[in-house]
Amino acid sequence: MPLSRMMMESNTMAKEMAVRNHLLPGSPRRRTAHNLSSSSLRKSSDASLLHKVPCAALRSLLANLNDVLLTTRLFLLFPAVLLAIAATYLHFGQVWVFVLSLIGLVPLAERLSFLTEQIAFYTGPTVGGLLNATFGNVTEVIIALLALREGKIEVVKCSLLGSILSNLLLVLGTSLFLAGIANLRAHQPYDTKQAHVNTALLMLAVEDDDDDDLVIAQNDEPVLGFSSAMIWLALMTLLTALLSGYVVSTIEAASESWELSVSFISIILLPIVGNAAEHAGAVIFALKNKLDITLGVSLGSATQISMFVVPVSVIVAWTMGIPMDLDFNLLETGSLFLAILVTAFTLQEGESHYLKGLILVLCYAVISVCFFVIRRRSAGGTDGVHHLDGIV
């Protein structure tokens, strides 16, 4: 069956399946803070020209492409995906491949969130929540797995640590600071229970999902059919894996060219760019004084990485026979402890102020400077990236 025809038939089943899942307009639907954050970056796209296409199959295919590629504010970054692939095969230089791959991962991460939300229309909240938990941090998971495959244990450790630090300090701090400036004379409350639960999880490694979901009554309808969404999800995941592989294989070349340690790039640069779409969504909701969603994005993502991505990485390393030592040095351990402690004390009152956000951002800046100054180079000059021979 041609792809365009399959997409068209799938779209005709959309409302039918939505009715079975009680997801027609007017019925409340459970959405995670991650979904809400990504949805803030979406926009409506003018599809009036598509009605002039005479062929029904072609019109359906173009409408499908429009719904997936043009309904995001990040669509201008999609060419970076093709440019990264072209730069690899045309040998433009590894630094160019690294930069273009990082940029290309930004819209792909946002679209993965969109596609999992579309699939959740048909599978219900349980499977939809599982998909969101899996694909919400798929960039970090794939980078960790590919780095493990190449034996770059330090990249795995630093990238996961950096993701937690950026969510707790940079994302949350920037959001609270800008929210405080934009709503200077307004009351800025948030749910302290959510903050306490997530910070406790980060300290004690105990998980509770009840605070991560938000029930919001919206007039949403699926714009993609189930099979269409699954095909696009597989394609976007493959592209994410491809670009993540480029990032892992070229990170050392970028380190040498920029005269930055691989540890600094893994802890600071990779998490900022890899989660840029989610971070932007958190800031947008903070500007609207919807701080509970912002907390759900930043704290929830940090908790998800510590409770899901890290154990998955350890299990995969164990099955591959890779000795993955998760013992952090003094700087890494101190940075993580300081980030959790400062975040917990900052959020204990239940009301925000721009100075609280400024404290978190300054704390992140201090930690970044420490990693920038302290260049950890092993005896072989590998800059802290310990390669394991024999891993293919």
Side-chain angles (χ1 to χ4, degrees), residues 48-372:
S48 58
L49 294 178
L50 296 178
H51 299 296
K52 300 179 181 180
V53 178
C55 179
L58 179 60
R59 184 168 60 249
S60 177
L61 177 60
L62 292 176
N64 190 270
L65 291 172
N66 177 76
D67 291 334
V68 175
L69 301 180
L70 299 181
T71 56
T72 172
R73 301 180 191 279
L74 303 174
F75 74 97
L76 291 176
L77 299 181
F78 272 118
V81 177
L82 300 178
L83 291 175
I85 299 174
T88 302
Y89 287 98
L90 296 178
H91 307 289
F92 282 175
Q94 292 188 327
V95 177
W96 278 106
V97 175
F98 180 79
V99 172
L100 291 171
S101 298
L102 282 181
I103 297 175
L105 285 173
V106 174
L108 290 177
E110 191 277 330
R111 289 291 85 182
L112 284 172
S113 175
F114 164 74
L115 292 169
T116 54
E117 187 177 351
Q118 291 297 304
I119 294 174
F121 276 105
Y122 309 103
T123 59
T126 303
V127 178
L130 179 62
L131 283 173
N132 179 73
T134 304
F135 287 92
N137 297 102
V138 69
T139 304
E140 290 91 339
V141 173
I142 293 177
I143 288 179
L145 296 181
L146 293 176
L148 280 175
R149 186 174 180 270
E150 296 188 16
K152 299 180 179 180
I153 308 300
E154 196 70 16
V155 173
V156 179
K157 292 167 55 178
C158 291
S159 63
L160 296 180
L161 173 63
S163 295
I164 297 175
L165 293 178
S166 66
N167 277 291
L168 290 180
L169 300 177
L170 180 63
V171 180
L172 184 58
T174 304
S175 300
L176 295 183
F177 177 76
L178 295 179
I181 298 298
N183 307 280
L184 191 59
R185 301 183 182 278
H187 184 50
Q188 303 171 46
Y190 54 81
D191 183 14
T192 56
K193 179 182 177 182
Q194 180 182 182
H196 293 162
V197 167
N198 280 283
T199 52
L201 291 180
L202 290 167
M203 281 288 194
L204 305 176
V206 178
E207 185 174 13
D208 184 351
D209 292 328
D210 292 340
D211 296 283
D212 290 336
D213 291 333
L214 299 171
V215 178
I216 294 184
Q218 294 192 349
N219 294 328
D220 285 348
E221 286 188 9
V223 297
L224 297 176
F226 179 74
S227 59
S228 175
M230 289 296 294
I231 292 173
W232 277 109
L233 181 64
L235 177 60
M236 294 294 181
T237 303
L238 288 176
L239 289 175
T240 301
L242 182 64
L243 296 193
S244 298
Y246 292 163
V247 168
V248 172
S249 61
T250 58
I251 187 173
E252 294 173 16
S255 171
E256 294 177 4
S257 176
W258 298 340
E259 297 184 354
L260 296 173
S261 66
V262 173
S263 302
F264 178 82
I265 294 177
S266 301
I267 290 179
I268 304 301
L269 186 58
L270 290 186
I272 291 177
V273 178
N275 297 318
E278 183 178 345
H279 296 177
V283 172
I284 290 174
F285 277 109
L287 291 174
K288 298 178 180 178
N289 208 11
K290 299 180 179 180
L291 296 182
D292 284 333
I293 299 177
T294 298
L295 292 178
V297 173
S298 55
L299 299 182
S301 182
T303 305
Q304 195 174 59
I305 291 170
S306 63
M307 304 303 301
F308 174 69
V309 181
V310 173
V312 167
S313 301
V314 174
I315 293 173
V316 171
W318 179 76
T319 58
M320 296 173 64
I322 301 174
M324 184 174 177
D325 183 11
L326 284 179
D327 290 336
F328 294 112
N329 61 27
L330 181 60
L331 175 59
E332 294 166 342
T333 304
S335 300
L336 182 59
F337 180 77
L338 177 64
I340 298 174
L341 195 63
V342 171
T343 303
F345 277 105
T346 301
L347 299 178
Q348 63 180 346
E349 294 181 353
E351 185 170 356
S352 180
H353 191 272
Y354 74 91
L355 288 177
K356 292 185 176 182
L358 183 60
I359 291 174
L360 296 178
V361 172
L362 290 177
C363 183
Y364 185 80
V366 171
I367 293 175
S368 300
V369 170
C370 291
F371 280 106
F372 177 79

